[in-house]
Amino acid sequence: MNRLVRLAPGAANCVRFGNVQAGESVLLLTESGLDEQVVEAISFAAKSAGAQVSVLVKEPWKSGEPLDPVVAAALKAADMVFDFGGPTSHSEAGFLASFDYGTRYLLVRPEPEALLAESALVPNELIYLLGSRAQKIVRENPALHVTDDKGSDFRIETIPGTIGAYIGSRPYESGPAVPGYIGTFPGATTVFGDLSYTGNGRLVLDAALTFDEPSEPIAFTIKDGWVTGISGGPEADFMWETAQAHRNATRLAECGFGVNPKVSLLPGQSRSATARAVNIMSWSRRAGTFFIAMGGNQLLGGTDPSSATPQFGVVKRPTITAGDVTLVKDGRLVMADEPDAEITELCEKFGGTKWLAPA
């Protein structure tokens, strides 16, 4: 019981972020060998909110393969899914569960540290304010430019209707008109697609796929919305060979930047492939990072499907401009570094501007 007490505040915040309501059906989707403490804590928090909770232990899901029919049916039937294993949301059945049946979905790091960290305790109201402001800036200034000191130099023209993200339980301006949400906890990001094939340039990734500490930076060359080459060490070779094996797997699926100042950039303690992949996804939620996913782009309304799971990568310390507005400077979210009166006042309701200081 003591271990659940320690995890309770983060678990409760996670359940609030998922907007779990009394009477809803909540599915906890896990895998053998993953830490059961996080599952127990979120189960308790969801039950405390009045939800009906089911736990399903599945086999690890392999990229490009269909989900087991039992897992697919469970995703479809649930109101809210907390996924602790491989990201089933990136399967066809996972997409359909959210798009056609309204399932809300959060990927959660499968280790207790994920709920104990400050990033899991950031007030949802602050995440919402930072996220909604970031979305608004990108909608109003669609020409984005990403650079860093490792050689990244990437440009993309966003379409306002493809800009959105799961930023918590409060309503938000969504991207494509889909009933369900897909996101991670701790959140959150501002996400956009490249439906007009405008993405061009070079992105030098500090981590990608399951490689949270690659032997060399992994460089993507992008032309007109397609990744045309990946260079670096053996990790880059593996990613390129994997993408070449699937139709449309080199498409720029989505990209964006994080808005949660408290997400740590340290590697996770668990070193399984699943945990490393989820940890890299969590870095994309860190305020000031930039991320890219290579693969089919239907999630944000595109027409280039792929059977391959999108391969995610992160630039840890970029500078990002939207038109003439600097959103991120050397890996720091400007609106968090230079908070205005509204942001400061909100922070004071929850203990002060400590929430804006990077982890």
Side-chain angles (χ1 to χ4, degrees):
M1 181 57 69
N2 286 339
R3 65 182 184 180
L4 294 184
V5 170
R6 290 194 313 125
L7 300 179
N13 209 29
C14 181
V15 167
R16 286 194 298 270
F17 193 71
N19 197 23
V20 173
Q21 301 295 312
E24 288 193 322
S25 176
V26 171
L27 173 65
L28 306 184
L29 192 58
T30 186
E31 297 176 3
S32 297
L34 298 183
D35 197 306
E36 296 178 359
Q37 294 182 65
V38 177
V39 178
E40 288 184 61
I42 292 180
S43 175
F44 183 82
K47 290 177 182 177
S48 297
Q52 301 293 319
V53 178
S54 299
V55 180
L56 177 59
V57 181
K58 67 176 180 64
E59 291 295 319
W61 175 59
K62 295 181 180 179
S63 172
E65 293 186 358
L67 289 182
D68 181 275
V70 172
V71 178
L75 290 172
K76 172 182 171 181
D79 294 305
M80 179 71 211
V81 175
F82 295 95
D83 192 349
F84 305 94
T88 54
S89 62
H90 288 119
S91 66
E92 181 178 6
F95 286 154
L96 293 177
S98 287
F99 293 171
D100 289 0
Y101 296 97
T103 301
R104 306 190 307 281
Y105 173 100
L106 285 178
L107 181 67
V108 183
R109 284 175 54 194
E111 48 192 19
E113 291 74 21
L115 295 183
L116 292 171
E118 283 187 300
S119 56
L121 304 175
V122 177
N124 288 327
E125 292 83 354
L126 178 59
I127 293 294
Y128 177 81
L129 180 57
L130 296 176
S132 58
R133 279 197 181 187
Q135 291 178 18
K136 184 175 186 294
I137 290 170
V138 176
R139 288 190 181 95
E140 294 176 350
N141 303 272
L144 266 70
H145 187 200
V146 181
T147 60
D148 75 349
D149 60 6
K150 294 182 179 179
S152 294
D153 189 355
F154 173 74
R155 296 180 185 272
I156 185 171
E157 290 274 345
T158 64
I159 298 174
T162 73
I163 299 164
Y166 196 144
I167 52 175
S169 57
R170 295 178 59 186
Y172 71 100
E173 295 181 73
S174 65
V178 297
Y181 305 146
I182 295 175
T184 65
F185 184 84
T189 57
T190 288
V191 181
F192 37 89
D194 184 28
L195 305 191
S196 297
Y197 303 87
T198 62
N200 281 280
R202 188 170 186 261
L203 286 170
V204 183
L205 307 177
D206 296 292
L209 194 57
T210 62
F211 308 119
D212 55 355
E213 296 179 301
S215 58
E216 300 178 33
I218 299 169
F220 277 27
T221 300
I222 302 162
K223 182 173 176 56
D224 298 333
W226 295 87
V227 178
T228 58
I230 304 177
S231 60
E235 300 90 351
D237 294 338
F238 176 84
M239 292 182 67
W240 184 243
E241 291 170 5
T242 300
Q244 292 295 297
H246 298 274
R247 177 173 173 264
N248 291 337
T250 60
R251 178 71 169 103
L252 178 55
E254 62 181 81
C255 48
F257 56 92
V259 297
N260 186 335
K262 292 302 184 181
V263 171
S264 170
L265 289 175
L266 296 175
Q269 294 192 16
S270 174
R271 303 308 295 159
S272 72
T274 294
R276 293 198 310 271
V278 175
N279 190 50
I280 290 171
M281 270 193 145
S282 77
W283 289 346
S284 71
R285 277 56 184 163
R286 160 73 171 237
T289 62
F290 184 82
F291 78 91
I292 181 175
M294 176 180 64
N297 69 350
Q298 287 183 305
L299 178 60
L300 288 179
T303 57
D304 301 310
S306 179
S307 61
T309 300
Q311 299 188 53
F312 280 82
V314 174
V315 181
K316 289 184 177 179
R317 294 177 178 83
T319 292
I320 306 171
T321 59
D324 295 328
V325 179
T326 301
L327 279 162
V328 173
K329 179 67 174 176
D330 296 328
R332 300 286 289 262
L333 186 67
V334 172
M335 70 179 78
D337 266 8
E338 304 171 6
D340 61 16
E342 182 183 17
I343 293 175
T344 300
E345 182 179 354
L346 178 61
C347 287
E348 293 300 334
K349 293 180 180 179
F350 298 96
T353 55
K354 64 180 183 179
W355 296 112
L356 300 174

